[in-house]
Amino acid sequence: MEDIKNPAVELTGVTKRFDDVIAVDTIDLRIADGEFFAMLGPSGCGKTTTLRMIAGLEFPTQGSLKIFGDEVGTLPPNKRPVNTVFQNYALFPHMNVLDNASFGLRMQGVDKGEAAQRAREAIEMVRLGGMEKRKPNQLSGGQQQRVALARALVNRPKVLLLDEPLGALDLKLRQEMQHELKELQRELGVSFVFVTHDQEEALTMSDRIAVMDHGKLLQVGSPDEIYEHPANRFVADFIGQTNFLDGTVRDSETVVLANGSAVAAPSRHTAGTKVALSLRPERIIIRDRGDNEAQPGTDGRGLNGVIRDVTYMGNSLAYTVAIDWMEVEVRTENRPSVARLNPGTNVALTWLDTGASVVAD
Amino acid sequence: MATTVETIAEAVTPEFEHSNERLRRRRGALLALPAYLYLIIFFVIPFGIVVVYSFATRTRFGTDLSGWNLNSYRRLGDDLVRDVLFRSAWLALLTTVVCLVLAYPFSYYMATRSERTRNLMLVFVMIPFWTNFLVRTYAWRVILGTDGPYSQLTSAVGLGSGRLLFTQVAVVLGLVYGFLPFMILPLYASIERVDPRLLEASRDLYATGFGTFRRILLPLSMPGVIAGSILVFVPSLGAYVTPSILGGAKTTLLGSYIVTQFLSARDFPFGAALSFVLMIVMLSATLIYFRKGGRTL
């Protein structure tokens, strides 16, 4: 784990059990102040439960949960310096935009005039000026999203928690809001902890990502680290697209693939470990090899194959290449300088040192 | 050419749809006809007769319908009558408040359980309906009467043998007992519909548990509060069986007072006037119910 001094949120050995189900399993996590932090995973992986524990909507069964150094494990949500943007927003339907936005301040005992003033500023900040008197059901999804943001941010939380905040928006609006959220976070400088099941969203927005599955924390790192050096097969599979070539580790430099060919692939796994070579489609270099049967790559980083199928995807081309025992997907940019290959072509697939990663289950 | 066709189509289609719609509606009305007829014959017409009688004059031999007057309505201001009216309204209000206070936490608890538990609890709420109301009310008579469990309890703790039977407390107890389900069901329905995330959002926004109840849960479940209150208040106001069995002679309420006018005093006009006033109160309550609460039920 990275060394973070004075983390905004710190989880140590946190476990959450619902009856017999372990939703979150002994998690250690530190989120830095001012960081845009994504929690990513399939539904039911425990990411939302983790967020709800930080919010105080669930209490950990075991472990320690600190916010800026203070243990908050069983404090109710109204006693924590965090606010949440809920999935589907959870705006109060019987209150107008202004009353929604000033609710938190009023509940903290801020007097009516000042609360309204600050709520107006927050509404202005999310560019909803003039909508103060509207009821939530008179707003579009994107506008409701902004009200939810204003309602949380008006309290100047030390950490803002967001539970799939963009899930209900259509693609275009979602991209717009991604950008705005990022801007807002930079401006305010507070930590945003963001739960999502959308890997692309997590990659484009976050400073760091935590990947979860079955209640366990699989990997924490920058988008770059997670994409380039996935900790295991699940992470490699969940983030982006990849080809898995099953094999066995021979030594620290070599993996023997299913067909017996040895390829150069450095790893830290002990000899004999069953692993998979993860090859990203866009990292594979594909070229026409004619009738040349020789091993294609330099230093053993290559495979021979035949193109089965080509899919035209506008800005890119996807090739399905049959190698001895399986099919591999390769993607190339659709540029004039890149030759287009036809089905049936004998090809050599090679990759650079950084193009492949060795992952165990 | 095309535009002409479109214009014609535009002009014709709505007309066609209208007549179609009308036909459908007429057919729908046919389905409702038997029930309408039943209500008209056995409710609207008798009620009309009651209204007519309320303006008539009582004579030694019966009721004189020839001279219309407001004498019966003037008598509503008499001290005795006013006492009955106020007592009835007060006990009905008390019953409603007690039901509300008992039912709200119960309904909230029920609404937040798992579906299985919820259905089980609903069945428990309904079980009393399976036994005859009269029998259940007589059971209260035993419980509250002399040497009943209640008086045994009070003497056991050294308060002497108490007796609640034939008091207003007994009447309210009986009414609450009878009408509690009518409060629980609409309350449950409307609390169950409140998105629990709104309550979480409120807590997240620094509201206390009570603040969340007052600002979020109560306003959002108001339709259920209104509906339940009316469903309890209206029948409590006109209740006849419970007050006459548990209330005794001293606590005459509106229901038994009206019965007395018709059967003992033979004062049909006055009984009719009382009925009419009660009817108006109930009608206004029902109107409020439909405007405020009925929408969401």
Side-chain angles (χ1 to χ4, degrees):
Chain A
M1 192 193 292
E2 274 174 62
D3 188 35
I4 292 165
K5 290 207 174 84
N6 308 321
V9 180
E10 184 177 9
L11 285 79
T12 316
V14 168
T15 296
K16 176 67 188 179
R17 250 182 245 111
F18 294 105
D19 299 325
D20 294 337
V21 185
I22 298 180
V24 172
D25 195 354
T26 43
I27 277 188
D28 293 305
L29 185 65
R30 287 165 157 217
I31 298 168
D33 191 13
E35 174 171 49
F36 202 115
F37 192 89
M39 297 213 281
L40 179 64
S43 59
C45 73
K47 56 189 194 296
T48 298
T49 306
T50 307
L51 192 85
R52 288 170 60 82
M53 283 193 284
I54 302 173
L57 298 168
E58 307 282 359
F59 297 142
T61 316
Q62 266 164 34
S64 144
L65 202 166
K66 289 180 178 168
I67 295 174
F68 284 97
D70 298 326
E71 180 65 46
V72 295
T74 54
L75 274 186
N78 52 325
K79 302 249 169 77
R80 299 183 184 212
V82 300
N83 289 109
T84 310
V85 174
F86 287 82
Q87 196 173 6
N88 301 76
Y89 324 130
L91 298 179
F92 304 131
H94 57 305
M95 297 181 190
N96 64 26
V97 170
L98 185 69
D99 291 341
N100 263 286
S102 59
F103 188 84
L105 294 174
R106 299 283 295 129
M107 289 298 112
Q108 289 178 88
V110 175
D111 77 65
K112 204 167 179 169
E114 196 197 329
Q117 180 55 35
R118 279 168 64 184
R120 270 196 201 90
E121 283 164 24
I123 293 166
E124 211 63 57
M125 180 179 71
V126 296
R127 300 191 287 131
L128 281 180
M131 303 268 190
E132 287 86 352
K133 293 281 169 237
R134 299 257 186 110
K135 288 279 180 72
N137 63 7
Q138 296 169 306
L139 300 174
S140 71
Q143 289 168 333
Q144 290 183 24
Q145 164 73 77
R146 284 159 206 268
V147 176
L149 264 173
R151 185 177 72 171
L153 288 173
V154 73
N155 305 295
R156 297 182 193 142
K158 291 184 176 171
V159 179
L160 184 72
L161 309 172
L162 303 106
D163 187 6
E164 304 254 4
L166 308 178
L169 303 179
D170 58 47
L171 183 66
K172 195 132 186 266
L173 201 56
R174 195 155 67 217
Q175 287 167 343
E176 217 176 284
M177 284 304 296
Q178 285 178 2
H179 182 71
E180 269 183 52
L181 271 180
K182 188 79 195 151
E183 290 274 287
L184 210 56
Q185 191 264 339
R186 237 177 255 141
E187 242 169 73
L188 298 167
V190 299
S191 312
F192 277 31
V193 182
F194 183 99
V195 159
T196 181
H197 65 267
D198 183 338
Q199 45 106 3
E200 209 178 305
E201 202 166 273
L203 285 175
T204 54
M205 295 175 75
S206 335
D207 297 322
R208 285 199 306 150
I209 299 172
V211 184
M212 291 183 72
D213 187 41
H214 287 104
K216 288 212 157 62
L217 198 58
L218 301 180
Q219 189 173 7
V220 183
S222 67
D224 196 298
E225 278 164 13
I226 285 188
Y227 190 79
E228 305 290 343
H229 308 290
N232 61 25
R233 191 180 175 128
F234 178 87
V235 177
D237 195 26
F238 195 75
I239 313 284
Q241 269 182 300
T242 195
N243 298 291
F244 287 119
L245 281 65
D246 291 325
T248 315
V249 174
R250 185 200 276 165
D251 54 49
S252 63
E253 295 297 322
T254 326
V255 170
V256 180
L257 296 182
N259 71 337
S261 62
V263 295
S267 73
R268 283 172 283 109
H269 300 284
T270 52
T273 313
K274 295 266 176 225
V275 292
L277 192 65
S278 164
L279 284 173
R280 301 280 186 201
E282 79 281 5
R283 295 295 165 84
I284 301 173
I285 302 155
I286 185 169
R287 82 191 140 74
D288 191 341
R289 70 181 157 86
D291 293 329
N292 188 356
E293 281 297 324
Q295 184 70 16
T298 53
D299 353 310
R301 269 192 292 272
L303 293 163
N304 285 333
V306 182
I307 294 179
R308 280 271 178 273
D309 195 25
V310 185
T311 312
Y312 177 78
M313 301 173 80
N315 62 353
S316 64
L317 292 164
Y319 295 101
T320 308
V321 177
I323 55 176
D324 274 0
W325 69 101
M326 63 180 290
E327 289 186 337
V328 172
E329 187 169 312
V330 180
R331 200 168 287 190
T332 63
E333 281 183 48
N334 186 12
R335 282 198 305 206
S337 58
V338 181
R340 231 162 119 170
L341 302 168
N342 294 318
T345 311
N346 288 325
V347 291
L349 306 179
T350 56
W351 56 90
L352 300 176
D353 214 3
T354 53
S357 42
V358 177
V359 291
D361 283 342
Chain B
M1 194 54 206
T3 47
T4 323
V5 173
E6 272 162 27
T7 322
I8 291 168
E10 261 166 40
V12 168
T13 314
E15 193 57 34
F16 176 70
E17 274 174 6
H18 270 185
S19 67
N20 221 351
E21 184 65 26
R22 234 176 284 143
L23 203 72
R24 209 176 309 148
R25 228 177 285 155
R26 219 173 289 156
R27 228 178 276 149
L30 215 62
L31 291 174
L33 192 64
Y36 269 132
L37 273 179
Y38 184 92
L39 284 175
I40 288 168
I41 296 171
F42 295 107
F43 176 73
V44 177
I45 295 174
F47 183 64
I49 295 172
V50 169
V51 175
V52 170
Y53 263 72
S54 73
F55 293 105
T57 317
R58 179 190 176 208
T59 64
R60 218 179 313 165
F61 312 105
T63 307
D64 177 15
L65 287 169
S66 59
W68 284 40
N69 61 71
L70 286 171
N71 291 343
S72 299
Y73 289 94
R74 282 196 195 98
R75 281 182 55 199
L76 293 175
D78 289 359
D79 284 350
L80 174 74
V81 182
R82 219 169 40 200
D83 279 356
V84 170
L85 285 173
F86 279 146
R87 195 185 302 131
S88 299
W90 162 242
L91 289 187
L93 190 71
L94 201 62
T95 303
T96 309
V97 171
V98 172
C99 279
L100 194 58
V101 169
L102 287 178
Y104 204 102
F106 182 84
S107 306
Y108 178 77
Y109 178 79
M110 189 155 77
T112 49
R113 292 310 99 183
S114 71
E115 179 137 9
R116 224 183 102 89
T117 319
R118 236 187 258 185
N119 290 337
L120 200 68
M121 290 178 79
L122 273 175
V123 171
F124 282 133
V125 170
M126 306 283 206
I127 279 179
F129 290 126
W130 300 347
T131 314
N132 184 285
F133 185 64
L134 210 59
V135 173
R136 289 187 283 135
T137 310
Y138 269 106
W140 273 105
R141 213 168 158 149
V142 176
I143 293 168
L144 302 176
T146 324
D147 296 332
Y150 175 78
S151 82
Q152 280 167 13
L153 183 78
T154 50
S155 35
V157 295
L159 291 171
S161 85
R163 200 194 66 172
L164 278 179
L165 193 61
F166 307 136
T167 63
Q168 295 196 1
V169 178
V171 175
V172 171
L173 268 176
L175 289 173
V176 167
Y177 170 74
F179 297 133
L180 193 58
F182 296 106
M183 184 63 93
I184 290 174
L185 294 178
L187 266 183
Y188 161 74
S190 103
I191 293 173
E192 197 245 6
R193 218 170 287 139
V194 175
D195 185 348
R197 274 177 309 199
L198 297 177
L199 309 181
E200 292 187 339
S202 162
R203 295 304 307 271
D204 184 64
L205 293 164
Y206 308 104
T208 56
F210 181 72
T212 300
F213 165 72
R214 203 162 72 86
R215 309 265 176 164
I216 311 296
L217 187 59
L218 188 60
L220 290 176
S221 59
M222 207 33 104
V225 173
I226 292 169
S229 298
I230 288 166
L231 287 180
V232 171
F233 183 79
V234 167
S236 297
L237 187 62
Y240 171 62
V241 174
T242 310
S244 37
I245 294 177
L246 300 177
K250 266 184 286 176
T251 42
T252 308
L253 295 186
L254 200 48
S256 37
Y257 193 56
I258 291 172
V259 173
T260 312
Q261 298 315 312
F262 278 109
L263 299 187
S264 317
R266 293 263 156 211
D267 192 344
F268 280 29
F270 185 51
L274 283 167
S275 302
F276 186 62
V277 168
L278 186 60
M279 188 76 190
I280 292 298
V281 173
M282 290 181 176
L283 201 68
S284 346
T286 313
L287 279 179
I288 296 171
Y289 164 69
F290 275 122
R291 288 192 50 185
K292 292 265 167 76
R295 241 180 332 196
T296 54
L297 273 178

